[in-house]
Amino acid sequence: MPEIIVNGERVSTPENAVVLQILRDQGLRIPSLCYHPALSPAGTCKLCGVEVKLPGKQFKIRLSCALHPKDGMEIHTDTQAVHEAMARAFTRLIQYAPESSGIRNLAAEYGVDLGPAPDECIRCRLCVRVCDEIVGAGALVMKKINSEEWVTPREGSRCIGCGTCVNICPTGAIKLKDEGFFRTISIRDETIGRNSLVRCEACGNLFATQKFLSRVEEKTDDHPHVKGHHPYCPTCAKLFSDRIQSVVPVKQVKPPVNGGPL
Ligand code: SF4
Ligand code: FES
């Protein structure tokens, strides 16, 4: 039975055992995606690398799923070289399967940050610009993560829930969801803003966020053709508008002949 040294501890092992399995039996956490105990090793995911030294040789990274123990073999599982090799392997794998939550979750478990999952964003920055320049909320910002730019919520919950970014986005990357009394605006799995909705005082429909209505009130001046600020949704506001009634004459509808359709 060969005796190996794992992180400084002597371990006796069966000769034909697989090092990955020996390490796991010692309670050590080693990631793997391509290993299966019933199959011959393929060494394709490269996640199971550990630092290995044979007597008289140098330490080097070896794939533990494709390695059998040898007397005097020394193994380190928690060194910077091991972590770097693992991070390289995860980075390579995520390029093959960018949307895989399995790879992302496993990487996160081992402290490897692969950055956000891909989204539908083409980095035109329309959302960031409109929120800064027109809405004035400044709720979005471009942030560099893993050498790539991402649209992210700016710190400080600045979103007023107007939905302008959702409307201007040419690809549908930003989502708006009204649920119960709340409106949530998000990109990828990140919430940009969650704001409470208010009811139209005429029809009772939840139609806008309080923060948005307050912003409109704050930003707009009275206009001779527009009524003062009101608690009505756009549909009811139109119905109640003197201006619309005076500009668009009410159509005279003739009664149906012989009870026929209108
Ligand atoms: S989220 Fe939409 S609007 Fe914003 S940068 Fe990406 S594609 Fe452009
Ligand atoms: S488990 Fe995939 S290379 Fe070892």
Side-chain angles (χ1 to χ4, degrees), residues 199-259:
R199 288 192 186 282
C200 166
E201 279 195 12
C203 67
N205 286 339
L206 293 162
F207 76 104
T209 67
Q210 185 55 58
K211 274 192 191 167
F212 167 65
L213 294 178
S214 307
R215 178 62 59 96
V216 172
E217 194 164 339
E218 186 187 300
K219 288 263 179 182
T220 50
D221 296 326
D222 286 343
H223 189 280
H225 295 306
V226 177
K227 286 187 168 181
H229 298 290
H230 54 71
Y232 303 128
C233 71
T235 312
C236 292
K238 248 188 210 171
L239 281 173
F240 300 155
S241 162
D242 295 341
R243 184 173 170 241
I244 287 193
Q245 281 182 12
S246 65
V247 173
V248 184
V250 178
K251 203 174 158 192
Q252 294 298 314
V253 181
K254 286 187 186 163
V257 182
N258 298 333

Side-chain angles (χ1 to χ4, degrees), residues 120-128 142 151 165 168-171 173-174 187:
E120 301 158 69
C121 175
I122 54 169
R123 276 70 175 168
C124 65
R125 299 177 185 226
L126 277 168
C127 55
V128 177
M142 299 302 293
V151 172
C165 56
I168 206 169
C169 175
T171 64
I174 307 185
I187 183 161

Side-chain angles (χ1 to χ4, degrees), residues 20 24 30-36 41-49 62-66 93:
L20 173 61
R24 285 181 172 170
I30 312 285
S32 71
L33 283 173
C34 70
Y35 171 71
H36 193 290
T44 53
C45 76
K46 311 215 184 300
L47 290 177
C48 65
R62 303 276 304 269
L63 298 177
S64 59
C65 70
L93 290 172

